[in-house]
Amino acid sequence: MNISHENNDATSGIIKLEIEENDYEAQVEKNLRQYRQKATVPGFRKGMVPMGIIKKMYGKYVLAEEINNIVSEKLSGYIRDNDIKIIGQPIPARKEEQPVDFETKKSFEICFDIALYPDINVNLTKQDKLTYYQVSVDDEMLNKQINAYRKNSGTYDAVDDIEATDMVKGVVVELEDGNIKEEGILVENAVLMPAYIKDEKEQAKFIGAKLGDVIVFNVQEAYQGAAAEIASFLSIDKETVADITSDFRFEVKEITRHKEAELNQKLFDELFGKDNVTSEETFREKVKDLLIEQLQPQSEYKFLMDIRTLLIQKAGAVQFADDILKRGLAATNENSTPEIVEKNYPQMLEDLKFNLVSSQIIEANNLKPEEADLENYAKQLAKSQLAQYGMYFVPEETLAGYAKDVLKNAESVENIVNRVTEQKLMTWVKEKTDVTTKEVSLEEFEKLFA
């Protein structure tokens, strides 16, 4: 067997595989014997079917399968061993799109078109300017976050009179002509919040009511015919809601009011661990640091997008093997039409150009992450995820255990490797270029993506 390749030009080449009969005949014979052992043909005992019949029945298929196996194994090995830098995967050359004659041919010449890495040289200097946008945490944002903590850490207390945002439980009974309707709707553990009652007149009947009071109201008017809400309140099907026109009585059995947590040592300890924060001033500083930390990934994403733009610009005009790349796009997605490929191709080239340039920088400057980098990122990931559930003070050993579990998952590792590599790329670009840090409001930052 012989494999060779030659470049058509700087952007494309062709790999040729010449397969002779002695490259495949032994394996084909072995495979056919296995088929013979299993074949069931009328008039012959199992395993005793003449080889001529087996070859007639399965020879073409077995040969095609073996040729495909040889090509798959040898092609990838040849590209790897010869360090041929290709974009995407080799695709059958134009002439290979015609059916191969496995019936009569003994030797085969199979060719693949390859798109080659273009020659791209990007040199960054301090003349290249970038802006790192950092979202400033103002008092409004800080107070909003503190209020959220106070609400999440608040308590639910039993009270004697109803306010709009109280949770009210009671017994609901359907009425008819002012009296309890026989076999009418009865809900023993009905729950409502007056603030969600849409009709102001009906809502007012509940505000100020006390434990044990009986309130008569019209559920259709209260929720203005909202079928889903009425059905949920009365525990009935939505389809029957329209038939409900009567009044209901609501006997108040329980009133629960949410009380925000006080801004005191108990809240400080709950969020940041015992005695790690001992004053309101320090608490506000800690919360501000948390907000800055939570907003950092957005700043890094924006910065990475600006790096992408810069690198694409610095790469300039790059020649690609357009025909091969387009055929490759069509081959990887069976739903791709020529129109779809043409539409997506410009964006694909932009992505490709950035990936090639960034990969070149990463390789040349050894920016690939080490094991310690992955562990640190996994810990930070754990810390961020636990913070979403209100766990802001987590022991180091807990984070280390979580990181260890995450790094056992191959998909998670791949994602973390990509994120850490991006961070290393950003750090490298910051060192090579002139980067200005600019504080902006959250509103101004969001406008940058408009």
Side-chain angles (χ1 to χ4, degrees), residues 258-269:
H258 180 263
K259 183 181 179 181
E260 291 185 358
E262 296 291 333
L263 207 58
N264 56 23
Q265 192 62 45
K266 181 181 178 183
L267 178 63
F268 303 161
D269 290 348

Side-chain angles (χ1 to χ4, degrees), residues 179-222:
N179 299 311
I180 295 176
K181 182 178 180 181
E182 190 173 342
E183 298 185 359
I185 295 173
L186 169 65
V187 184
E188 294 186 346
N189 290 297
V191 180
L192 62 75
M193 182 181 288
Y196 291 153
I197 295 178
K198 300 177 180 180
D199 183 84
E200 293 183 3
K201 181 180 177 182
E202 296 298 316
Q203 183 189 85
K205 294 178 180 179
F206 288 87
I207 306 300
K210 301 182 181 300
L211 279 173
D213 284 356
V214 174
I215 302 162
V216 176
F217 74 113
N218 187 283
V219 71
Q220 285 283 358
E221 293 179 8

Side-chain angles (χ1 to χ4, degrees), residues 135-143 284 288 291 441-442:
V135 179
S136 60
V137 178
D138 56 21
D139 287 341
E140 181 182 357
M141 187 186 301
L142 181 58
N143 291 333
R284 292 180 67 85
K288 185 173 183 177
L291 284 171
S441 68
L442 182 60

Side-chain angles (χ1 to χ4, degrees), residues 284-422:
R284 292 180 67 85
E285 289 174 359
K286 283 279 190 181
V287 174
K288 185 173 183 177
D289 289 342
L290 279 174
L291 284 171
I292 291 172
E293 188 176 316
Q294 291 168 8
L295 291 166
Q296 183 178 348
Q298 299 178 49
S299 295
E300 290 184 349
Y301 175 75
K302 170 60 179 169
F303 188 59
L304 185 63
M305 292 302 98
D306 290 343
I307 288 175
R308 170 194 165 94
T309 300
L310 174 64
L311 292 181
I312 289 174
Q313 289 175 347
K314 296 284 285 187
V318 180
Q319 294 298 315
F320 290 99
D322 295 323
D323 176 65
I324 296 175
L325 292 177
K326 288 178 182 179
R327 284 160 53 206
L329 279 176
T332 54
N333 188 342
E334 60 183 17
N335 295 320
S336 287
T337 64
E339 292 75 21
I340 292 176
V341 170
E342 286 295 334
K343 179 182 177 181
N344 295 333
Y345 189 67
Q347 181 60 52
M348 191 277 284
L349 282 189
E350 292 287 283
D351 296 339
L352 178 58
K353 195 185 296 186
F354 171 67
N355 289 336
L356 293 177
V357 174
S358 59
S359 295
Q360 188 181 74
I361 292 172
I362 291 164
E363 188 71 31
N365 296 278
N366 194 27
L367 302 181
K368 294 180 180 179
E370 299 176 357
E371 186 174 345
D373 299 320
L374 304 183
E375 290 177 359
N376 289 332
Y377 188 90
K379 287 180 185 178
Q380 190 61 41
L381 183 65
K383 187 178 178 181
S384 299
Q385 291 178 344
L386 292 171
Q388 294 177 7
Y389 298 99
M391 300 171 65
Y392 302 100
F393 177 74
V394 182
E396 182 66 21
E397 57 270 21
T398 302
L399 293 177
Y402 182 94
K404 187 176 180 181
D405 289 339
V406 168
L407 293 174
K408 290 178 181 177
N409 182 286
E411 186 175 341
S412 297
V413 170
E414 182 180 1
N415 182 56
I416 291 173
V417 167
N418 291 337
R419 299 291 80 75
V420 175
T421 304
E422 288 175 352

Side-chain angles (χ1 to χ4, degrees), residues 101-316:
D101 181 10
F102 291 109
E103 197 75 57
T104 60
K105 292 187 68 175
K106 299 295 184 181
S107 60
F108 305 92
E109 182 182 276
I110 300 176
C111 300
F112 289 89
D113 289 329
I114 53 174
L116 301 173
Y117 271 48
D119 186 20
I120 305 177
N121 292 307
V122 171
N123 182 34
L124 297 180
T125 70
K126 291 296 181 180
Q127 299 299 314
D128 299 309
K129 300 184 183 301
L130 287 166
T131 302
Y132 183 89
Y133 295 96
Q134 184 171 300
V135 179
S136 60
V137 178
D138 56 21
D139 287 341
E140 181 182 357
M141 187 186 301
L142 181 58
N143 291 333
K144 186 177 180 180
Q145 186 62 48
I146 290 174
N147 288 337
Y149 290 152
R150 292 180 63 187
K151 286 181 180 178
N152 292 338
S153 299
T155 59
Y156 288 89
D157 301 331
V159 294
D160 296 327
D161 59 320
I162 300 174
E163 292 183 0
T165 56
D166 291 340
M167 190 72 69
V168 186
K169 292 184 179 180
V171 179
V172 171
V173 182
E174 187 176 5
L175 301 178
E176 185 176 53
D177 297 328
N179 299 311
I180 295 176
K181 182 178 180 181
E182 190 173 342
E183 298 185 359
I185 295 173
L186 169 65
V187 184
E188 294 186 346
N189 290 297
V191 180
L192 62 75
M193 182 181 288
Y196 291 153
I197 295 178
K198 300 177 180 180
D199 183 84
E200 293 183 3
K201 181 180 177 182
E202 296 298 316
Q203 183 189 85
K205 294 178 180 179
F206 288 87
I207 306 300
K210 301 182 181 300
L211 279 173
D213 284 356
V214 174
I215 302 162
V216 176
F217 74 113
N218 187 283
V219 71
Q220 285 283 358
E221 293 179 8
Y223 293 103
Q224 297 180 350
E229 295 176 50
I230 296 172
S232 176
F233 177 64
L234 296 177
S235 299
I236 60 175
D237 295 331
K238 286 197 298 183
E239 291 73 18
T240 64
V241 167
D243 299 328
I244 305 297
T245 59
S246 54
D247 288 340
F248 286 78
R249 55 172 284 177
F250 186 105
E251 183 179 357
V252 180
K253 292 291 187 180
E254 183 181 323
I255 309 168
T256 305
R257 183 171 300 158
H258 180 263
K259 183 181 179 181
E260 291 185 358
E262 296 291 333
L263 207 58
N264 56 23
Q265 192 62 45
K266 181 181 178 183
L267 178 63
F268 303 161
D269 290 348
E270 181 182 328
L271 293 175
F272 297 107
K274 185 169 177 58
D275 296 331
N276 286 317
V277 173
T278 56
S279 69
E280 183 176 338
E281 180 182 2
T282 306
F283 176 73
R284 292 180 67 85
E285 289 174 359
K286 283 279 190 181
V287 174
K288 185 173 183 177
D289 289 342
L290 279 174
L291 284 171
I292 291 172
E293 188 176 316
Q294 291 168 8
L295 291 166
Q296 183 178 348
Q298 299 178 49
S299 295
E300 290 184 349
Y301 175 75
K302 170 60 179 169
F303 188 59
L304 185 63
M305 292 302 98
D306 290 343
I307 288 175
R308 170 194 165 94
T309 300
L310 174 64
L311 292 181
I312 289 174
Q313 289 175 347
K314 296 284 285 187

Side-chain angles (χ1 to χ4, degrees), residues 80-95:
R80 181 183 62 250
D81 295 342
N82 290 273
D83 195 26
I84 305 173
K85 302 293 186 182
I86 69 170
I87 302 172
Q89 298 295 323
I91 61 172
R94 286 291 189 186
K95 70 174 185 176

Side-chain angles (χ1 to χ4, degrees), residues 24-37 51 62 66:
Y24 61 79
E25 61 179 344
Q27 187 62 46
V28 167
E29 284 295 324
K30 179 181 177 180
N31 293 345
L32 285 172
R33 286 196 297 270
Q34 291 175 348
Y35 271 88
R36 186 189 185 201
Q37 293 173 2
M51 204 60 182
V62 171
E66 182 56 25

